[in-house]
Amino acid sequence: MLVHSRRAKWAVWLVFAVLFLPLFALPLLVVLGASFATNWSGVLPSGFTASHYSAATRGESLQALTTSLVTALTASLLALGIGTWAALAAAGLKKRQRQVMDALFVLPVAVPSVVVGLAILVAFSSRRCCSTAPGGS
């Protein structure tokens, strides 16, 4: 930790707890509670069930889950490989070239995923792209 005094460490942990619990932990606990609830129409869930999880591991849901996990694993491994290669390559560059490379690799973080999703939707829904009529458009 970059904080060295005991009082400052306690302050950092307190700020972490005050921010982490209401913003991250509690919403995740509500989602977890809802996943085991039979019905949730009031303040608390009305019953306990594991049927949502058994339904998620059967048939088409299992296929979708498997596809998502394989896609996530593949993307993670590709990002790890490309990122490692880029970091090693950037170490040998001059300062200006390294700044350009850093900007290129940070660019996907700067572009919101909603914009990318909308661009993909527009690209694949245009008539020029997906025309199935004989003879082209």
Short mmCIF file of all heavy atoms in Angstrom, two decimals, residues 45-90:
data_model
loop_
_atom_site.label_atom_id
_atom_site.label_comp_id
_atom_site.label_asym_id
_atom_site.label_seq_id
_atom_site.Cartn_x
_atom_site.Cartn_y
_atom_site.Cartn_z
N PRO A 45 -37.47 -11.31 -0.96
CA PRO A 45 -37.99 -12.37 -1.81
C PRO A 45 -38.99 -13.24 -1.06
O PRO A 45 -38.91 -13.38 0.16
CB PRO A 45 -36.75 -13.16 -2.21
CG PRO A 45 -35.69 -12.77 -1.26
CD PRO A 45 -36.04 -11.43 -0.72
N SER A 46 -39.92 -13.85 -1.81
CA SER A 46 -40.99 -14.61 -1.16
C SER A 46 -40.66 -16.08 -0.97
O SER A 46 -41.32 -16.75 -0.20
CB SER A 46 -42.27 -14.48 -1.98
OG SER A 46 -42.07 -15.02 -3.27
N GLY A 47 -39.70 -16.63 -1.66
CA GLY A 47 -39.39 -18.04 -1.50
C GLY A 47 -38.00 -18.35 -2.00
O GLY A 47 -37.33 -17.52 -2.60
N PHE A 48 -37.57 -19.57 -1.76
CA PHE A 48 -36.24 -20.00 -2.16
C PHE A 48 -36.35 -21.09 -3.21
O PHE A 48 -37.14 -22.03 -3.07
CB PHE A 48 -35.48 -20.54 -0.95
CG PHE A 48 -34.10 -21.01 -1.28
CD1 PHE A 48 -33.06 -20.11 -1.41
CD2 PHE A 48 -33.84 -22.36 -1.50
CE1 PHE A 48 -31.77 -20.54 -1.72
CE2 PHE A 48 -32.57 -22.80 -1.83
CZ PHE A 48 -31.53 -21.88 -1.93
N THR A 49 -35.57 -20.96 -4.29
CA THR A 49 -35.53 -21.98 -5.33
C THR A 49 -34.18 -21.95 -6.02
O THR A 49 -33.52 -20.91 -6.08
CB THR A 49 -36.64 -21.77 -6.37
OG1 THR A 49 -36.61 -22.84 -7.30
CG2 THR A 49 -36.49 -20.46 -7.10
N ALA A 50 -33.79 -23.09 -6.54
CA ALA A 50 -32.57 -23.19 -7.35
C ALA A 50 -32.93 -23.52 -8.80
O ALA A 50 -32.06 -23.85 -9.59
CB ALA A 50 -31.64 -24.23 -6.77
N SER A 51 -34.22 -23.40 -9.13
CA SER A 51 -34.68 -23.78 -10.47
C SER A 51 -34.09 -22.88 -11.56
O SER A 51 -33.93 -23.33 -12.69
CB SER A 51 -36.21 -23.76 -10.53
OG SER A 51 -36.69 -22.45 -10.33
N HIS A 52 -33.78 -21.63 -11.23
CA HIS A 52 -33.18 -20.74 -12.23
C HIS A 52 -31.82 -21.27 -12.67
O HIS A 52 -31.47 -21.20 -13.85
CB HIS A 52 -33.04 -19.33 -11.68
CG HIS A 52 -34.33 -18.73 -11.21
ND1 HIS A 52 -35.39 -18.49 -12.05
CD2 HIS A 52 -34.72 -18.31 -9.98
CE1 HIS A 52 -36.38 -17.97 -11.37
NE2 HIS A 52 -36.01 -17.84 -10.10
N TYR A 53 -31.06 -21.80 -11.72
CA TYR A 53 -29.74 -22.33 -12.05
C TYR A 53 -29.83 -23.66 -12.79
O TYR A 53 -29.04 -23.93 -13.70
CB TYR A 53 -28.89 -22.48 -10.78
CG TYR A 53 -28.46 -21.15 -10.24
CD1 TYR A 53 -29.14 -20.54 -9.20
CD2 TYR A 53 -27.39 -20.47 -10.80
CE1 TYR A 53 -28.76 -19.31 -8.71
CE2 TYR A 53 -26.99 -19.23 -10.32
CZ TYR A 53 -27.68 -18.65 -9.28
OH TYR A 53 -27.30 -17.43 -8.81
N SER A 54 -30.81 -24.48 -12.44
CA SER A 54 -30.97 -25.74 -13.18
C SER A 54 -31.46 -25.47 -14.59
O SER A 54 -31.07 -26.16 -15.53
CB SER A 54 -31.91 -26.69 -12.44
OG SER A 54 -33.21 -26.16 -12.38
N ALA A 55 -32.29 -24.46 -14.77
CA ALA A 55 -32.75 -24.09 -16.12
C ALA A 55 -31.61 -23.52 -16.96
O ALA A 55 -31.58 -23.70 -18.18
CB ALA A 55 -33.89 -23.08 -16.02
N ALA A 56 -30.67 -22.84 -16.30
CA ALA A 56 -29.54 -22.25 -17.03
C ALA A 56 -28.53 -23.29 -17.47
O ALA A 56 -27.68 -23.01 -18.32
CB ALA A 56 -28.85 -21.20 -16.16
N THR A 57 -28.61 -24.49 -16.93
CA THR A 57 -27.66 -25.54 -17.28
C THR A 57 -28.31 -26.66 -18.08
O THR A 57 -27.86 -27.80 -18.04
CB THR A 57 -27.01 -26.12 -16.00
OG1 THR A 57 -28.04 -26.59 -15.13
CG2 THR A 57 -26.17 -25.09 -15.30
N ARG A 58 -29.35 -26.32 -18.83
CA ARG A 58 -30.04 -27.29 -19.68
C ARG A 58 -30.33 -26.69 -21.04
O ARG A 58 -30.59 -25.50 -21.16
CB ARG A 58 -31.37 -27.71 -19.06
CG ARG A 58 -31.24 -28.57 -17.87
CD ARG A 58 -32.59 -29.20 -17.54
NE ARG A 58 -32.51 -29.81 -16.22
CZ ARG A 58 -33.33 -29.53 -15.23
NH1 ARG A 58 -34.32 -28.69 -15.40
NH2 ARG A 58 -33.18 -30.13 -14.07
N GLY A 59 -30.33 -27.52 -22.07
CA GLY A 59 -30.79 -27.15 -23.40
C GLY A 59 -30.10 -25.96 -24.01
O GLY A 59 -28.87 -25.84 -24.00
N GLU A 60 -30.91 -25.06 -24.58
CA GLU A 60 -30.38 -23.90 -25.28
C GLU A 60 -29.65 -22.94 -24.33
O GLU A 60 -28.70 -22.29 -24.73
CB GLU A 60 -31.50 -23.16 -26.00
CG GLU A 60 -32.06 -23.91 -27.19
CD GLU A 60 -33.13 -23.11 -27.91
OE1 GLU A 60 -33.22 -21.89 -27.70
OE2 GLU A 60 -33.88 -23.72 -28.68
N SER A 61 -30.10 -22.86 -23.09
CA SER A 61 -29.42 -21.99 -22.13
C SER A 61 -28.00 -22.46 -21.87
O SER A 61 -27.08 -21.66 -21.76
CB SER A 61 -30.20 -21.95 -20.81
OG SER A 61 -31.46 -21.36 -20.99
N LEU A 62 -27.82 -23.77 -21.79
CA LEU A 62 -26.47 -24.32 -21.59
C LEU A 62 -25.60 -24.04 -22.81
O LEU A 62 -24.42 -23.70 -22.66
CB LEU A 62 -26.53 -25.82 -21.31
CG LEU A 62 -25.18 -26.50 -21.10
CD1 LEU A 62 -24.46 -25.89 -19.90
CD2 LEU A 62 -25.36 -27.99 -20.92
N GLN A 63 -26.16 -24.16 -24.00
CA GLN A 63 -25.41 -23.85 -25.22
C GLN A 63 -25.00 -22.38 -25.24
O GLN A 63 -23.87 -22.05 -25.59
CB GLN A 63 -26.24 -24.19 -26.46
CG GLN A 63 -26.43 -25.66 -26.68
CD GLN A 63 -27.36 -25.94 -27.84
OE1 GLN A 63 -28.12 -25.07 -28.28
NE2 GLN A 63 -27.32 -27.17 -28.34
N ALA A 64 -25.91 -21.49 -24.88
CA ALA A 64 -25.60 -20.07 -24.85
C ALA A 64 -24.54 -19.77 -23.79
O ALA A 64 -23.61 -18.98 -24.03
CB ALA A 64 -26.86 -19.26 -24.57
N LEU A 65 -24.65 -20.39 -22.62
CA LEU A 65 -23.67 -20.20 -21.56
C LEU A 65 -22.30 -20.70 -22.00
O LEU A 65 -21.28 -20.02 -21.80
CB LEU A 65 -24.13 -20.93 -20.29
CG LEU A 65 -23.20 -20.85 -19.08
CD1 LEU A 65 -23.07 -19.40 -18.61
CD2 LEU A 65 -23.73 -21.73 -17.96
N THR A 66 -22.26 -21.87 -22.62
CA THR A 66 -20.99 -22.42 -23.10
C THR A 66 -20.37 -21.53 -24.17
O THR A 66 -19.17 -21.26 -24.14
CB THR A 66 -21.21 -23.84 -23.65
OG1 THR A 66 -21.82 -24.64 -22.65
CG2 THR A 66 -19.91 -24.47 -24.08
N THR A 67 -21.18 -21.04 -25.09
CA THR A 67 -20.68 -20.15 -26.13
C THR A 67 -20.11 -18.87 -25.52
O THR A 67 -19.04 -18.41 -25.92
CB THR A 67 -21.81 -19.80 -27.13
OG1 THR A 67 -22.30 -21.01 -27.70
CG2 THR A 67 -21.32 -18.89 -28.22
N SER A 68 -20.81 -18.32 -24.55
CA SER A 68 -20.33 -17.09 -23.89
C SER A 68 -19.01 -17.32 -23.17
O SER A 68 -18.09 -16.50 -23.25
CB SER A 68 -21.37 -16.58 -22.91
OG SER A 68 -22.54 -16.19 -23.57
N LEU A 69 -18.90 -18.44 -22.46
CA LEU A 69 -17.67 -18.72 -21.72
C LEU A 69 -16.50 -18.99 -22.66
O LEU A 69 -15.39 -18.52 -22.41
CB LEU A 69 -17.90 -19.90 -20.77
CG LEU A 69 -18.83 -19.63 -19.60
CD1 LEU A 69 -19.07 -20.91 -18.80
CD2 LEU A 69 -18.29 -18.53 -18.70
N VAL A 70 -16.73 -19.73 -23.74
CA VAL A 70 -15.66 -19.99 -24.70
C VAL A 70 -15.23 -18.69 -25.37
O VAL A 70 -14.03 -18.44 -25.56
CB VAL A 70 -16.11 -21.05 -25.74
CG1 VAL A 70 -15.15 -21.12 -26.92
CG2 VAL A 70 -16.25 -22.40 -25.08
N THR A 71 -16.20 -17.84 -25.73
CA THR A 71 -15.87 -16.56 -26.34
C THR A 71 -15.07 -15.68 -25.38
O THR A 71 -14.07 -15.07 -25.78
CB THR A 71 -17.16 -15.82 -26.77
OG1 THR A 71 -17.89 -16.66 -27.66
CG2 THR A 71 -16.85 -14.51 -27.44
N ALA A 72 -15.47 -15.64 -24.13
CA ALA A 72 -14.76 -14.83 -23.13
C ALA A 72 -13.34 -15.35 -22.91
O ALA A 72 -12.39 -14.57 -22.83
CB ALA A 72 -15.53 -14.82 -21.82
N LEU A 73 -13.19 -16.67 -22.83
CA LEU A 73 -11.86 -17.25 -22.64
C LEU A 73 -10.96 -16.98 -23.84
O LEU A 73 -9.79 -16.59 -23.68
CB LEU A 73 -11.98 -18.75 -22.39
CG LEU A 73 -10.66 -19.49 -22.17
CD1 LEU A 73 -10.01 -19.03 -20.87
CD2 LEU A 73 -10.88 -20.99 -22.15
N THR A 74 -11.50 -17.14 -25.04
CA THR A 74 -10.73 -16.88 -26.25
C THR A 74 -10.32 -15.42 -26.34
O THR A 74 -9.15 -15.11 -26.63
CB THR A 74 -11.54 -17.28 -27.50
OG1 THR A 74 -11.94 -18.64 -27.38
CG2 THR A 74 -10.75 -17.08 -28.77
N ALA A 75 -11.25 -14.51 -26.07
CA ALA A 75 -10.93 -13.09 -26.11
C ALA A 75 -9.89 -12.72 -25.06
O ALA A 75 -8.98 -11.92 -25.33
CB ALA A 75 -12.20 -12.27 -25.91
N SER A 76 -10.00 -13.31 -23.89
CA SER A 76 -9.02 -13.03 -22.83
C SER A 76 -7.64 -13.51 -23.20
O SER A 76 -6.64 -12.79 -22.99
CB SER A 76 -9.46 -13.69 -21.52
OG SER A 76 -10.68 -13.17 -21.09
N LEU A 77 -7.54 -14.71 -23.75
CA LEU A 77 -6.23 -15.23 -24.16
C LEU A 77 -5.63 -14.43 -25.29
O LEU A 77 -4.42 -14.15 -25.30
CB LEU A 77 -6.35 -16.71 -24.53
CG LEU A 77 -6.65 -17.65 -23.38
CD1 LEU A 77 -6.86 -19.08 -23.88
CD2 LEU A 77 -5.54 -17.61 -22.34
N LEU A 78 -6.46 -14.03 -26.26
CA LEU A 78 -5.97 -13.18 -27.34
C LEU A 78 -5.49 -11.82 -26.82
O LEU A 78 -4.43 -11.34 -27.22
CB LEU A 78 -7.06 -12.98 -28.40
CG LEU A 78 -7.25 -14.12 -29.38
CD1 LEU A 78 -8.50 -13.89 -30.23
CD2 LEU A 78 -6.04 -14.27 -30.27
N ALA A 79 -6.26 -11.22 -25.93
CA ALA A 79 -5.87 -9.93 -25.37
C ALA A 79 -4.59 -10.04 -24.57
O ALA A 79 -3.72 -9.16 -24.63
CB ALA A 79 -7.00 -9.38 -24.50
N LEU A 80 -4.44 -11.13 -23.83
CA LEU A 80 -3.22 -11.35 -23.06
C LEU A 80 -2.02 -11.50 -23.97
O LEU A 80 -0.97 -10.88 -23.75
CB LEU A 80 -3.38 -12.59 -22.17
CG LEU A 80 -2.17 -12.95 -21.32
CD1 LEU A 80 -1.93 -11.88 -20.26
CD2 LEU A 80 -2.37 -14.30 -20.67
N GLY A 81 -2.16 -12.28 -25.01
CA GLY A 81 -1.05 -12.48 -25.95
C GLY A 81 -0.68 -11.21 -26.69
O GLY A 81 0.50 -10.83 -26.76
N ILE A 82 -1.68 -10.53 -27.23
CA ILE A 82 -1.41 -9.30 -27.99
C ILE A 82 -0.90 -8.21 -27.06
O ILE A 82 0.03 -7.46 -27.42
CB ILE A 82 -2.68 -8.85 -28.74
CG1 ILE A 82 -3.01 -9.85 -29.85
CG2 ILE A 82 -2.52 -7.45 -29.32
CD1 ILE A 82 -4.35 -9.64 -30.50
N GLY A 83 -1.47 -8.09 -25.88
CA GLY A 83 -1.02 -7.07 -24.93
C GLY A 83 0.41 -7.30 -24.47
O GLY A 83 1.20 -6.36 -24.35
N THR A 84 0.76 -8.56 -24.22
CA THR A 84 2.13 -8.88 -23.82
C THR A 84 3.10 -8.56 -24.94
O THR A 84 4.15 -7.94 -24.73
CB THR A 84 2.25 -10.37 -23.42
OG1 THR A 84 1.34 -10.63 -22.36
CG2 THR A 84 3.65 -10.72 -22.99
N TRP A 85 2.75 -8.97 -26.15
CA TRP A 85 3.60 -8.67 -27.31
C TRP A 85 3.75 -7.16 -27.49
O TRP A 85 4.86 -6.67 -27.75
CB TRP A 85 3.00 -9.30 -28.57
CG TRP A 85 3.70 -8.87 -29.81
CD1 TRP A 85 4.88 -9.34 -30.29
CD2 TRP A 85 3.27 -7.84 -30.71
NE1 TRP A 85 5.20 -8.68 -31.43
CE2 TRP A 85 4.25 -7.75 -31.72
CE3 TRP A 85 2.17 -7.00 -30.75
CZ2 TRP A 85 4.14 -6.85 -32.77
CZ3 TRP A 85 2.07 -6.09 -31.79
CH2 TRP A 85 3.04 -6.03 -32.79
N ALA A 86 2.67 -6.42 -27.35
CA ALA A 86 2.73 -4.96 -27.54
C ALA A 86 3.58 -4.31 -26.47
O ALA A 86 4.34 -3.38 -26.75
CB ALA A 86 1.32 -4.38 -27.52
N ALA A 87 3.47 -4.78 -25.22
CA ALA A 87 4.28 -4.20 -24.15
C ALA A 87 5.76 -4.46 -24.38
O ALA A 87 6.60 -3.57 -24.18
CB ALA A 87 3.84 -4.77 -22.81
N LEU A 88 6.08 -5.66 -24.81
CA LEU A 88 7.49 -5.97 -25.10
C LEU A 88 7.99 -5.18 -26.29
O LEU A 88 9.13 -4.70 -26.30
CB LEU A 88 7.66 -7.47 -25.34
CG LEU A 88 7.42 -8.37 -24.12
CD1 LEU A 88 7.43 -9.83 -24.53
CD2 LEU A 88 8.45 -8.09 -23.05
N ALA A 89 7.15 -5.01 -27.30
CA ALA A 89 7.54 -4.24 -28.47
C ALA A 89 7.69 -2.76 -28.13
O ALA A 89 8.60 -2.08 -28.63
CB ALA A 89 6.52 -4.42 -29.60
N ALA A 90 6.82 -2.24 -27.29
CA ALA A 90 6.87 -0.82 -26.92
C ALA A 90 8.09 -0.48 -26.09
O ALA A 90 8.54 0.66 -26.10
CB ALA A 90 5.60 -0.43 -26.17
#
